[in-house]
Amino acid sequence: AARVGHIIASHPAAMSRPLHVLDIGGGVGYLGNHLAEKFGAQLSVQVLDIAESNVHKGLKTSQSRQLSNVNFVVADASTATLTSDISKPDIVVALHACGVLSDVALFHAAENCAAFCVCSCCFKKNGHLSVGGQSAASWLNLEEQTLTSLAAAAEFKDDDSHARQAMHSMSALRAEAVHRRWGQASAHVSDDQVPAVSINVEC
């Protein structure tokens, strides 16, 4: 929440309107509900999750806490579109975004020139998900086998040094993919609508 608070404080639209936060794979809404409660009228939060049971639980929690600035949507984040499932985000968040779900969240951020805070984990999971209609390997500009090997190395249990190197490499490739897609997306809007992309990677 502290990192999201920093993003909110530095967002150019923060003083003029509520910022729209998209929580990818938000589950039962632990993060989404917390952000909605902590930042109040500063935010409008939309939690997206593929599991209807999770969404139902998250909605019940938000109602019990009387949160009017958060809503929940049942949808597959890898195929969700702005027109049918989600609203255009100012900020994309994803907590414990397993494997390729991190890439899906980053794609939504880059596609909408939105700020983002994505916490990755479980690098080998969700390999079946598409990222903007392409494979995760294509999104990262890698051969499929290279991505498989790198993801496996990032989960080494008995070799912390090599695991950290692999995690850093994955994060760097993701940052490069965001930067690449951000440039493509920003070409379709005027310069005054596109904030500069600044990416901070921590492993």
Side-chain angles (χ1 to χ4, degrees):
R3 294 200 180 280
V4 176
H6 175 74
I7 293 172
I8 294 169
S10 60
H11 198 286
M15 300 300 292
S16 59
R17 59 173 174 81
L19 298 178
H20 182 62
V21 175
L22 177 62
D23 184 2
I24 296 290
V28 298
Y30 289 130
L31 178 60
N33 281 329
H34 178 67
L35 293 176
E37 188 169 50
K38 181 176 179 62
F39 295 104
Q42 291 179 273
L43 298 183
S44 168
V45 181
Q46 187 170 44
V47 181
L48 193 71
D49 198 86
I50 197 170
E52 188 172 354
S53 60
N54 284 344
V55 167
H56 180 67
K57 290 177 183 176
L59 181 59
K60 284 186 66 176
T61 300
S62 70
Q63 291 172 341
S64 69
R65 289 156 67 173
Q66 299 182 324
L67 301 175
S68 60
N69 59 332
V70 59
N71 70 84
F72 289 78
V73 177
V74 179
D76 181 344
S78 67
T79 58
T81 60
L82 289 181
T83 53
S84 62
D85 301 300
I86 57 178
S87 303
K88 182 176 175 62
D90 297 300
I91 304 169
V92 174
V93 298
L95 181 62
H96 299 305
C98 292
V100 179
L101 187 59
S102 286
D103 299 284
V104 171
L106 291 169
F107 176 84
H108 279 292
E111 181 74 358
N112 293 286
C113 297
F116 58 88
C117 183
V118 176
C119 301
S120 303
C121 67
C122 307
F123 290 88
K124 295 191 292 184
K125 288 190 175 182
N126 288 321
H128 64 285
L129 295 179
S130 64
V131 184
Q134 60 188 323
S135 69
S138 295
W139 154 254
L140 295 173
N141 202 21
L142 288 177
E143 294 292 331
E144 196 73 47
Q145 185 56 52
T146 302
L147 176 57
T148 299
S149 299
L150 191 58
E155 292 196 22
F156 281 163
K157 296 291 191 297
D158 301 319
D159 191 340
D160 186 64
S161 176
H162 281 93
R164 284 184 174 276
Q165 288 180 43
M167 284 189 279
H168 188 277
S169 295
M170 285 288 291
S171 295
L173 287 164
R174 284 169 169 166
E176 185 177 292
V178 167
H179 195 273
R180 189 164 53 243
R181 184 60 190 173
W182 190 289
Q184 295 169 355
S186 65
H188 302 295
V189 295
S190 61
D191 290 342
D192 61 348
Q193 292 179 302
V194 183
V197 57
S198 176
I199 302 172
N200 181 38
V201 176
E202 294 183 15
C203 295

Short mmCIF file of all heavy atoms in Angstrom, two decimals, residues 113-140:
data_model
loop_
_atom_site.label_atom_id
_atom_site.label_comp_id
_atom_site.label_asym_id
_atom_site.label_seq_id
_atom_site.Cartn_x
_atom_site.Cartn_y
_atom_site.Cartn_z
N CYS A 113 -0.83 2.90 -20.90
CA CYS A 113 0.10 3.91 -20.40
C CYS A 113 -0.19 4.24 -18.94
O CYS A 113 -0.25 5.42 -18.54
CB CYS A 113 0.05 5.17 -21.26
SG CYS A 113 0.55 4.91 -22.98
N ALA A 114 -0.42 3.18 -18.16
CA ALA A 114 -0.79 3.33 -16.75
C ALA A 114 0.41 3.05 -15.85
O ALA A 114 1.31 2.27 -16.21
CB ALA A 114 -1.92 2.37 -16.39
N ALA A 115 0.40 3.66 -14.68
CA ALA A 115 1.40 3.33 -13.67
C ALA A 115 1.14 1.91 -13.18
O ALA A 115 0.04 1.37 -13.37
CB ALA A 115 1.31 4.31 -12.50
N PHE A 116 2.13 1.28 -12.57
CA PHE A 116 1.91 -0.09 -12.12
C PHE A 116 2.80 -0.46 -10.94
O PHE A 116 3.88 0.10 -10.73
CB PHE A 116 2.14 -1.09 -13.26
CG PHE A 116 3.52 -1.03 -13.88
CD1 PHE A 116 4.57 -1.78 -13.37
CD2 PHE A 116 3.75 -0.23 -14.99
CE1 PHE A 116 5.84 -1.72 -13.94
CE2 PHE A 116 5.02 -0.17 -15.57
CZ PHE A 116 6.06 -0.92 -15.04
N CYS A 117 2.29 -1.41 -10.17
CA CYS A 117 3.05 -2.00 -9.07
C CYS A 117 2.71 -3.49 -9.09
O CYS A 117 1.60 -3.88 -8.71
CB CYS A 117 2.67 -1.37 -7.74
SG CYS A 117 3.62 -2.00 -6.33
N VAL A 118 3.64 -4.32 -9.55
CA VAL A 118 3.40 -5.74 -9.75
C VAL A 118 4.39 -6.55 -8.94
O VAL A 118 5.60 -6.37 -9.06
CB VAL A 118 3.51 -6.12 -11.25
CG1 VAL A 118 3.36 -7.63 -11.44
CG2 VAL A 118 2.46 -5.38 -12.06
N CYS A 119 3.88 -7.43 -8.09
CA CYS A 119 4.72 -8.30 -7.27
C CYS A 119 4.63 -9.72 -7.81
O CYS A 119 3.59 -10.38 -7.67
CB CYS A 119 4.27 -8.27 -5.81
SG CYS A 119 4.32 -6.62 -5.09
N SER A 120 5.70 -10.18 -8.43
CA SER A 120 5.71 -11.48 -9.09
C SER A 120 6.04 -12.61 -8.12
O SER A 120 6.65 -12.40 -7.08
CB SER A 120 6.75 -11.49 -10.22
OG SER A 120 6.50 -10.47 -11.15
N CYS A 121 5.63 -13.82 -8.51
CA CYS A 121 6.02 -15.02 -7.76
C CYS A 121 5.82 -16.24 -8.66
O CYS A 121 5.29 -16.12 -9.76
CB CYS A 121 5.21 -15.16 -6.47
SG CYS A 121 3.46 -15.48 -6.72
N CYS A 122 6.27 -17.39 -8.20
CA CYS A 122 5.97 -18.68 -8.86
C CYS A 122 6.17 -18.59 -10.37
O CYS A 122 5.23 -18.71 -11.16
CB CYS A 122 4.56 -19.13 -8.55
SG CYS A 122 4.16 -19.18 -6.79
N PHE A 123 7.41 -18.38 -10.79
CA PHE A 123 7.71 -18.04 -12.18
C PHE A 123 7.28 -19.07 -13.21
O PHE A 123 7.09 -18.75 -14.37
CB PHE A 123 9.22 -17.77 -12.31
CG PHE A 123 9.66 -16.50 -11.65
CD1 PHE A 123 10.03 -16.50 -10.31
CD2 PHE A 123 9.70 -15.31 -12.34
CE1 PHE A 123 10.43 -15.33 -9.68
CE2 PHE A 123 10.09 -14.13 -11.73
CZ PHE A 123 10.47 -14.14 -10.39
N LYS A 124 7.12 -20.32 -12.80
CA LYS A 124 6.77 -21.37 -13.76
C LYS A 124 5.27 -21.52 -13.97
O LYS A 124 4.85 -22.29 -14.84
CB LYS A 124 7.36 -22.71 -13.30
CG LYS A 124 8.88 -22.77 -13.29
CD LYS A 124 9.40 -24.17 -13.10
CE LYS A 124 9.11 -24.72 -11.72
NZ LYS A 124 9.69 -26.06 -11.51
N LYS A 125 4.46 -20.80 -13.23
CA LYS A 125 3.01 -21.00 -13.30
C LYS A 125 2.34 -20.18 -14.40
O LYS A 125 2.88 -19.22 -14.92
CB LYS A 125 2.37 -20.66 -11.95
CG LYS A 125 2.66 -21.69 -10.87
CD LYS A 125 1.82 -21.43 -9.63
CE LYS A 125 2.02 -22.53 -8.59
NZ LYS A 125 1.17 -22.30 -7.39
N ASN A 126 1.12 -20.61 -14.73
CA ASN A 126 0.24 -19.91 -15.68
C ASN A 126 0.83 -19.75 -17.08
O ASN A 126 0.55 -18.77 -17.78
CB ASN A 126 -0.17 -18.54 -15.13
CG ASN A 126 -1.15 -18.64 -13.98
OD1 ASN A 126 -2.04 -19.48 -13.99
ND2 ASN A 126 -0.97 -17.81 -12.97
N GLY A 127 1.62 -20.74 -17.48
CA GLY A 127 2.22 -20.69 -18.81
C GLY A 127 1.21 -20.74 -19.94
O GLY A 127 1.53 -20.41 -21.10
N HIS A 128 -0.03 -21.14 -19.64
CA HIS A 128 -1.07 -21.22 -20.67
C HIS A 128 -1.67 -19.86 -21.01
O HIS A 128 -2.35 -19.72 -22.04
CB HIS A 128 -2.19 -22.14 -20.18
CG HIS A 128 -2.91 -21.62 -18.98
ND1 HIS A 128 -2.35 -21.66 -17.71
CD2 HIS A 128 -4.13 -21.02 -18.84
CE1 HIS A 128 -3.21 -21.12 -16.85
NE2 HIS A 128 -4.28 -20.73 -17.50
N LEU A 129 -1.43 -18.86 -20.17
CA LEU A 129 -2.04 -17.55 -20.40
C LEU A 129 -1.40 -16.84 -21.59
O LEU A 129 -0.19 -16.92 -21.80
CB LEU A 129 -1.90 -16.67 -19.15
CG LEU A 129 -2.63 -17.12 -17.88
CD1 LEU A 129 -2.36 -16.14 -16.75
CD2 LEU A 129 -4.12 -17.25 -18.13
N SER A 130 -2.24 -16.14 -22.34
CA SER A 130 -1.71 -15.30 -23.41
C SER A 130 -1.49 -13.89 -22.88
O SER A 130 -2.14 -13.47 -21.93
CB SER A 130 -2.67 -15.27 -24.60
OG SER A 130 -3.90 -14.67 -24.24
N VAL A 131 -0.59 -13.18 -23.50
CA VAL A 131 -0.27 -11.81 -23.10
C VAL A 131 -0.53 -10.90 -24.29
O VAL A 131 0.24 -10.85 -25.23
CB VAL A 131 1.21 -11.69 -22.66
CG1 VAL A 131 1.50 -10.28 -22.15
CG2 VAL A 131 1.54 -12.72 -21.60
N GLY A 132 -1.67 -10.23 -24.25
CA GLY A 132 -2.03 -9.39 -25.38
C GLY A 132 -2.19 -10.16 -26.67
O GLY A 132 -1.84 -9.67 -27.75
N GLY A 133 -2.70 -11.39 -26.55
CA GLY A 133 -2.92 -12.21 -27.74
C GLY A 133 -1.71 -12.97 -28.25
O GLY A 133 -1.76 -13.60 -29.30
N GLN A 134 -0.62 -12.93 -27.50
CA GLN A 134 0.59 -13.66 -27.89
C GLN A 134 1.10 -14.47 -26.71
O GLN A 134 0.64 -14.31 -25.59
CB GLN A 134 1.66 -12.68 -28.37
CG GLN A 134 2.08 -11.67 -27.29
CD GLN A 134 2.99 -10.59 -27.82
OE1 GLN A 134 3.84 -10.83 -28.67
NE2 GLN A 134 2.83 -9.37 -27.33
N SER A 135 2.04 -15.34 -26.97
CA SER A 135 2.61 -16.14 -25.89
C SER A 135 3.50 -15.26 -25.01
O SER A 135 3.95 -14.18 -25.43
CB SER A 135 3.45 -17.28 -26.46
OG SER A 135 4.62 -16.77 -27.09
N ALA A 136 3.75 -15.73 -23.78
CA ALA A 136 4.64 -14.98 -22.89
C ALA A 136 6.03 -14.86 -23.49
O ALA A 136 6.69 -13.82 -23.36
CB ALA A 136 4.71 -15.68 -21.53
N ALA A 137 6.48 -15.91 -24.17
CA ALA A 137 7.81 -15.88 -24.81
C ALA A 137 7.87 -14.79 -25.87
O ALA A 137 8.86 -14.03 -25.95
CB ALA A 137 8.14 -17.24 -25.41
N SER A 138 6.83 -14.67 -26.68
CA SER A 138 6.81 -13.63 -27.72
C SER A 138 6.78 -12.24 -27.09
O SER A 138 7.45 -11.31 -27.56
CB SER A 138 5.60 -13.81 -28.63
OG SER A 138 5.69 -15.03 -29.34
N TRP A 139 5.98 -12.09 -26.04
CA TRP A 139 5.90 -10.81 -25.32
C TRP A 139 7.26 -10.39 -24.81
O TRP A 139 7.63 -9.21 -24.86
CB TRP A 139 4.89 -10.97 -24.19
CG TRP A 139 5.04 -10.08 -22.98
CD1 TRP A 139 5.50 -10.48 -21.75
CD2 TRP A 139 4.71 -8.70 -22.84
NE1 TRP A 139 5.47 -9.44 -20.86
CE2 TRP A 139 4.99 -8.32 -21.50
CE3 TRP A 139 4.20 -7.74 -23.70
CZ2 TRP A 139 4.78 -7.04 -21.02
CZ3 TRP A 139 3.99 -6.45 -23.23
CH2 TRP A 139 4.27 -6.11 -21.92
N LEU A 140 8.05 -11.37 -24.33
CA LEU A 140 9.37 -11.08 -23.78
C LEU A 140 10.47 -11.12 -24.83
O LEU A 140 11.64 -10.90 -24.52
CB LEU A 140 9.70 -12.07 -22.66
CG LEU A 140 8.80 -11.99 -21.42
CD1 LEU A 140 9.11 -13.13 -20.46
CD2 LEU A 140 8.94 -10.65 -20.72
#
